[in-house]
């Protein structure tokens, strides 16, 4: 158990940086596209909401462990370890899609910005 857990932590935590950078790129891109509206509506509540969503996005990132650890206990451990990058890629793209949707559908109407 210790080897599998250590392997999972070493794999996923290094990639968490790239995951967070991908989400930051989505937010920065959206802010740049709707800059005048964002600047006019910038409030503490908006920044706090983004902080809470960043924490939630990182909590959701931990869902990878729910797939990775049981997969490493399976007879397909070697194949899984070779191909688990696909889980990271799909999860990151899904998170980026959710981030953009939340910004465009929830934040934009609230602050009066349309990208």
């Amino acid at each position: 158990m210790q080897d599998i857990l250590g392997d999972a932590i070493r794999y996923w935590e290094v990639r968490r940086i790239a995951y967070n950078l991908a989400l930051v790129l989505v937010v920065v891109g959206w802010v740049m596209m709707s800059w005048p509206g964002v600047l006019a509506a910038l409030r503490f509540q908006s920044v706090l909401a983004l902080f809470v969503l960043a924490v939630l996005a990182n909590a959701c990132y931990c869902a990878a462990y729910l797939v990775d650890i049981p997969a490493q206990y399976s007879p397909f451990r070697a194949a899984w370890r070779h191909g688990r990058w696909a889980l990271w890629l799909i999860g990151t793209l899904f998170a980026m899609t959710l981030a953009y949707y939340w910004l465009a559908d929830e934040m934009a109407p609230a602050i009066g910005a349309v990208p």
Side-chain angles (χ1 to χ4, degrees):
M1 175 70 170
Q2 186 175 3
D3 290 338
I4 287 175
L5 193 57
D7 179 63
I9 290 170
R10 276 188 302 278
Y11 184 84
W12 292 107
E13 293 309 313
V14 169
R15 284 153 185 83
R16 186 184 295 264
I17 296 166
Y19 170 81
N20 281 310
L21 287 175
L23 295 180
V24 165
L25 287 176
V26 170
V27 172
V28 168
W30 185 84
V31 166
M32 287 174 57
M33 289 187 334
S34 30
W35 179 245
V38 171
L39 183 60
L42 191 62
R43 304 282 183 271
F44 178 72
Q45 281 184 314
S46 303
V47 175
L48 183 61
L50 284 175
F51 176 76
V52 168
L53 289 171
V55 170
L56 290 174
N58 277 282
C60 290
Y61 185 82
C62 294
Y65 290 105
L66 298 175
V67 176
D68 188 50
I69 292 171
Q72 287 198 52
Y73 273 111
S74 76
F76 306 105
R77 180 177 188 210
W80 169 252
R81 290 184 71 211
H82 180 70
R84 62 185 166 181
W85 62 268
L87 177 64
W88 180 86
L89 181 63
I90 291 167
T92 301
L93 292 173
F94 182 66
M96 291 171 73
T97 302
L98 284 178
Y100 183 82
Y101 168 78
W102 185 84
L103 287 167
D105 193 56
E106 301 296 327
M107 280 294 275
I111 64 172
V114 179

